[in-house]
Amino acid sequence: MMVELGVLEIEDFPSFNESCRKVLRLGREVGFSSLEASKLASLFSEAVRPAESWPIKLFFSLADKASHIFIEMGVQFSCDVIISPALKSYFSVSCPKESAEDKCFKLCRELPLGTRIPGPERLRCIREMLLLPSREELLRCLEKKNKELEQSEARVQEALSMVSSSIRYASRIQRSILPAKSFLENISSECFVLWEPRDVVGGDIYWARKWGDGALLILADCTGHGVPGAFMTLISSGALDISLNKVEAGDCGGLIQNMHSHIQQVLNQYRWSVDDGECSDDGLELGVCYLSGKRDELIYAGAGFPLFISDEAGVRQVKGDRKGIGYRGVSEDTVWTNKKIAVRDDMLFYMGSDGIFDQIGGVKGRGFGKKRFRALLESARSSPLSGHGKIIYNKLVEYQGAEKRRDDVSAFGFKV
């Protein structure tokens, strides 16, 4: 009859010391006297002490052979070891298995006469004693885990620092393509720009360029936000620069169409098939305003972007075409409409991104919306245009409340 007691593993010096204490206690539990139990533990430590033989696995069991009870220790070493004469004289030593990877010994010692196999409850206690970690082991394990956690936290902090540094640097690159404030002031007698990326860098972008004898003002909202959105703004900026040299000044719809074709080509989105499901489908929405050299006419074309006009009659919305640019589902020969607007002295022009209109907030948790945006523009008309960006942003933050910011926020306003 064979009764298994448990397994011990020795990987380092602390686990070696703990194993010696457990073997001493095991000897007493199974029936050895204190002296014999101490000798058992001493010889055990002699067998497994050499550090070069760690890790070691120990398999403990009791065997009933013709009414004689034996304690058996199976010792599996990770390398060759020499069994000392003292061990051989105390234990019956056998080598049941040898391989190129390990060497196993079975050490067997008869317990005092009259010893019996412990009952179920006592066996359970012995097994728990072998298997369950001691207070010292728990503390050592806790210290090890704390050290590993500190090391992991340090690695995470280092990675976060590198990522944050990279994003801050990317922000400087993105800001470098924005028009200078002085250039905007030369184009418009009064203006403001609200540009608040949600994540340091973002997918909203605005441009101001000379175009022919007039000036071009654009607000765009690219797919996504953060780093992906920022990549799209750089791609879109390149598409704009190329398209300006190909399209006649003032043809805002043609400019949008040319940018659309270029972005589709760059992102390989000019075709669609069932095999392209894993490919990108990115693009942008934008509003394009061209001010003639005489400043008496504004030409507007929108790709999913509205233009808001505030005058003495109130605030009205001029809708653009309901098609973004660059996306796979938009045909390469799609046309965007030019809309001519006669400019008067009382007119203020605005464009805003979806980060404003779609922001959730308020008592009912609904989007800010275009209706609320128009009412805000109307109420702000009596204040200087240069401060309207701050008015819009503060109102949006107030409306947002405890809700999470959903997207990049940008708005553009100017007076001719």
Side-chain angles (χ1 to χ4, degrees):
M1 177 182 175
M2 180 74 69
V3 177
E4 294 182 356
L5 298 178
V7 180
L8 290 178
E9 293 190 32
I10 301 176
E11 298 180 348
D12 50 28
F13 196 76
S15 60
F16 164 74
N17 287 336
E18 186 62 31
S19 296
C20 290
R21 287 193 290 269
K22 287 186 175 182
V23 170
L24 175 62
R25 184 176 172 185
L26 175 63
R28 293 171 179 170
E29 291 289 342
V30 297
F32 280 129
S33 65
S34 296
L35 183 60
E36 282 292 305
S38 297
K39 188 173 184 180
L40 174 69
S42 176
L43 291 172
F44 161 79
S45 67
E46 181 183 335
V48 301
R49 178 183 294 274
E52 62 270 14
S53 65
W54 296 343
I56 298 171
K57 282 188 177 181
L58 303 136
F59 307 86
F60 293 93
S61 59
L62 294 175
D64 187 347
K65 302 176 182 179
S67 299
H68 291 269
I69 309 300
F70 295 83
I71 182 170
E72 295 183 348
M73 288 189 294
V75 188
Q76 179 179 310
F77 295 96
S78 58
C79 60
D80 288 342
V81 295
I82 298 175
I83 299 298
S84 68
L87 279 173
K88 290 181 178 179
S89 65
Y90 187 79
F91 293 104
S92 171
V93 180
S94 61
C95 186
K97 183 181 79 171
E98 285 191 49
S99 70
E101 297 179 354
D102 54 51
K103 192 173 184 70
C104 295
F105 293 93
K106 181 178 284 187
L107 310 179
C108 183
R109 175 74 177 181
E110 184 178 357
L111 295 175
L113 290 175
T115 303
R116 297 181 179 180
I117 298 291
E121 184 63 25
R122 192 173 174 192
L123 279 175
R124 183 184 65 80
C125 293
I126 293 173
R127 287 166 178 157
E128 287 182 354
M129 183 271 296
L130 288 173
L131 295 176
L132 294 179
S134 65
R135 179 177 177 273
E136 288 76 12
E137 285 178 305
L138 288 173
L139 289 174
R140 190 169 66 252
C141 182
L142 182 60
E143 289 175 358
K144 182 179 179 181
K145 292 295 182 184
N146 284 339
K147 186 175 181 180
E148 291 175 352
L149 184 61
E150 289 174 359
Q151 291 173 344
S152 297
E153 185 177 353
R155 288 194 293 269
V156 169
Q157 289 298 328
E158 182 180 2
L160 284 175
S161 177
M162 291 177 63
V163 170
S164 298
S165 177
S166 295
I167 291 177
R168 287 194 299 271
Y169 194 90
S171 176
R172 291 201 294 272
I173 294 174
Q174 186 177 40
R175 289 174 184 273
S176 70
I177 67 174
L178 299 177
K181 184 179 179 181
S182 58
F183 185 79
L184 293 173
E185 292 172 347
N186 288 334
I187 292 177
S188 172
S189 59
E190 291 185 61
C191 65
F192 77 86
V193 176
L194 169 61
W195 189 69
E196 290 287 339
R198 197 194 75 167
D199 305 311
V200 184
V201 293
D204 285 5
I205 192 74
Y206 61 96
W207 294 289
R209 299 281 196 279
K210 289 183 177 179
W211 198 19
D213 64 350
L216 188 70
L217 296 170
I218 301 175
L219 184 66
D221 182 357
C222 299
T223 302
H225 42 73
V227 174
F231 269 103
M232 280 301 302
T233 66
L234 297 178
I235 292 172
S236 302
S237 186
L240 172 63
D241 289 336
I242 291 172
S243 300
L244 283 173
N245 295 320
K246 294 183 177 181
V247 181
E248 183 180 353
D251 184 6
C252 297
L255 181 69
I256 294 176
Q257 197 281 328
N258 205 279
M259 288 181 66
H260 166 64
S261 178
H262 180 79
I263 292 170
Q264 279 193 330
Q265 292 290 331
V266 168
L267 296 179
N268 196 29
Q269 295 178 169
Y270 57 90
R271 59 187 177 85
W272 181 270
S273 72
V274 293
D275 298 326
D276 293 333
E278 296 297 321
C279 296
S280 65
D281 186 20
D282 300 304
L284 62 149
E285 297 178 342
L286 77 167
V288 180
C289 294
Y290 173 75
L291 293 172
S292 65
K294 295 180 180 180
R295 299 295 196 265
D296 59 349
E297 183 180 67
L298 182 142
I299 300 175
Y300 168 75
F305 245 64
L307 174 69
F308 297 91
I309 303 175
S310 175
D311 56 24
E312 293 178 354
V315 178
R316 69 182 187 274
Q317 177 181 334
V318 180
K319 294 183 179 179
D321 296 293
R322 298 180 63 182
K323 293 164 288 191
I325 72 172
Y327 298 101
R328 285 176 175 267
V330 182
S331 174
E332 187 177 2
D333 58 3
T334 298
V335 175
W336 281 266
T337 309
N338 286 322
K339 299 182 180 181
K340 296 183 178 181
I341 301 166
V343 176
R344 298 193 311 270
D345 291 339
D346 65 330
M347 285 182 171
L348 303 177
F349 299 92
Y350 301 87
M351 290 184 288
S353 70
D354 285 344
I356 297 175
F357 310 133
D358 296 342
Q359 178 59 52
I360 297 298
V363 178
K364 297 183 179 180
R366 295 178 179 174
F368 191 81
K370 294 182 176 68
K371 183 178 180 180
R372 189 174 280 104
F373 183 71
R374 289 170 60 182
L376 178 59
L377 297 182
E378 191 163 353
S379 66
R381 183 172 173 79
S382 59
S383 59
L385 182 61
S386 59
H388 286 195
K390 188 174 183 180
I391 291 173
I392 294 170
Y393 186 72
N394 289 343
K395 189 65 175 181
L396 184 67
V397 170
E398 178 187 338
Y399 183 80
Q400 176 184 332
E403 294 288 342
K404 184 179 179 181
R405 174 67 57 81
R406 295 170 65 91
D407 202 352
D408 306 312
V409 169
S410 61
F412 206 162
F414 59 93
K415 182 179 180 180
V416 179

